[in-house]
Amino acid sequence: MLTAGDGTVVVEQGHAMGRPSTITVTVSGPRVRISGSGLVVAQGTMMLPAAG
C-alpha cells in the first residue's frame, strides 16, 4: 500500500492461471507512473489517504 508521498508498488498476478504479469506503480510527488503489460479486463480508481 502506498501512503501520501513517494514510493513504488509492484503487483504480480496471474501465476496460478499460468499467465503471470507484473505491474509497477511509481508515485513521485504529483506524478503517478504505471508500467508493465497486460490485458484490461476491469477498471477502477485508486484512492490514497491524505497526508496527515
Side-chain angles (χ1 to χ4, degrees):
M1 179 170 139
L2 286 178
T3 58
D6 297 346
T8 299
V9 172
V10 177
V11 179
E12 295 182 351
Q13 62 180 15
H15 294 278
M17 298 172 52
R19 297 187 59 168
S21 66
T22 302
I23 305 295
T24 303
V25 180
T26 303
V27 177
S28 180
R31 303 186 83 165
V32 177
R33 178 180 175 155
I34 301 173
S35 61
S37 63
L39 177 65
V40 176
V41 296
Q43 295 187 80
T45 301
M46 180 183 294
M47 299 181 71
L48 301 176

